[in-house]
Amino acid sequence: MTRILLLGGGGFLGAPVAARLRALPGAAVLHAGRAARGHGPDGGHGTRGRPLPDLHVDLGTVPVDVLAGGLGALVPDVVVNCAGLTAGPASALASVNARGAAVLCEAMAAAVPAARLVHLGSAAEYGPAVPGTALAESAPARPAGVYGATKLAGTLAVAGSRLDAVVLRVFNPVGAGAPGSGLPGRLAAAFRGAPPDGRVRTGDLGAYRDFVDVTDVAEAVALAATAAGPLPPVLNVGSGAATLVRDLAAELAGLCGFTGRIEESGAGSERSAEVSWMRADISLTAATLGWQPVRSLHDALAALSDATAPATGGPA
């Protein structure tokens, strides 16, 4: 039985990752976080029917020795870190995204140095890119804001840890449960909440982004968790295509039944205002993990639209 400890398994990316890891043959998935719950191959139990333990920690505040003690008790073969913040004050972003990753690496080095670490990074670490180009893992990291800087600090902590570790640098994930801190989730909520022929106000939608379905991200995590041998320190996880955000908004509006007017007169995202173009070079990930995205952007947007649709039907 392979014991996989998942941090942040209740989040937008963590939930599909948890589901994919639980489907791995012989895997026992343990959860760590503020509200952890164990999930083994038979629905929360080990192969002999005993409940698996959880690790209740806040990665942004837990001391290294406390986390090391928890890891030593669980003895995971793989640790997957999906915990992170995309919005909030700089102090909170730094605590979870930067300090949290560093603490995790130090605790693993002390307690389970042979375990593999799969850490989710962000394309925001790259910062501005040259339009028309694809970002390879060797591209310089020049984050444009606090969020990207804190994610980069986490990546540097992982890369310098000397653990068997890989950072999956995720581009713009889309799918069911997308939070309002990101544009697709925010637009879906706005389209659903507005009258069909009403008005939705947004920031400028003229940027290009690489959108990837969350289930494809989960597949990349599962492959990284189970791949043999050492992996490159960073691997891109994206679609490999750049999409005009305005086109995404128009398609999502149609899927949500919104036929009104989209006005690009509001404030845009401070996280991405300086980045007009982003496209991933995923050739290294394909060569290393045998991974390719299989779901289209339409699939991802349809899942997001369905998840935000109002409930229908009478009482059971």
Side-chain angles (χ1 to χ4, degrees):
M1 180 175 67
T2 301
R3 297 168 70 88
I4 304 175
L5 178 64
L6 175 61
L7 294 95
F12 168 50
L13 290 178
V17 166
R20 181 63 187 91
L21 293 178
R22 289 197 297 270
L24 292 173
V29 181
L30 301 81
H31 285 245
R34 296 179 182 178
R37 64 196 189 283
H39 290 283
D42 55 355
H45 296 79
T47 55
R48 297 184 181 179
R50 293 192 299 270
L52 291 168
D54 293 323
L55 182 57
H56 297 270
V57 295
D58 181 342
L59 200 57
T61 60
V62 64
V64 173
D65 59 339
V66 172
L67 183 54
L71 292 172
L74 298 178
V75 198
D77 301 294
V78 180
V79 176
V80 175
N81 184 25
C82 295
L85 289 181
T86 58
S91 58
L93 293 170
S95 293
V96 176
N97 298 340
R99 177 194 181 277
V103 166
L104 177 59
C105 289
E106 292 175 23
M108 287 183 63
V112 286
R116 169 164 291 172
L117 171 60
V118 180
H119 175 79
L120 295 196
S122 169
E125 298 169 38
Y126 285 120
V130 177
T133 64
L135 286 160
E137 291 83 353
S138 58
R142 301 174 298 169
V146 174
Y147 168 72
T150 60
K151 292 298 290 184
L152 177 59
T155 290
L156 293 175
V158 173
S161 67
R162 298 187 179 180
L163 295 168
D164 176 11
V166 61
V167 175
L168 300 184
R169 196 166 267 166
V170 180
F171 277 62
N172 295 79
V174 184
S181 58
L183 181 65
R186 189 162 62 248
L187 283 176
F191 292 148
R192 288 295 188 192
D197 58 350
R199 180 185 67 167
V200 166
R201 189 178 178 210
T202 76
D204 179 67
L205 301 177
Y208 287 80
R209 292 288 181 269
D210 186 320
F211 295 100
V212 59
D213 190 284
V214 290
T215 56
D216 284 328
V217 175
E219 181 63 25
V221 172
L223 289 170
T226 57
L231 297 174
V234 177
L235 290 172
N236 286 337
V237 177
S239 68
T243 297
L244 180 64
V245 178
R246 190 172 293 120
D247 291 342
L248 174 144
E251 182 168 1
L252 183 56
L255 289 168
C256 291
F258 177 77
T259 57
R261 183 176 177 184
I262 301 174
E263 292 187 356
E264 300 178 36
S265 57
S269 168
E270 294 183 2
R271 275 203 293 135
S272 57
E274 298 180 35
V275 183
S276 64
W277 170 274
M278 188 158 282
R279 176 164 66 91
D281 179 343
I282 56 175
S283 57
L284 181 60
T285 310
T288 303
L289 300 180
W291 175 87
Q292 290 280 354
V294 297
R295 289 172 64 85
S296 68
L297 179 56
H298 176 81
D299 295 332
L301 293 177
L304 172 57
S305 172
D306 291 344
T308 56
T312 59

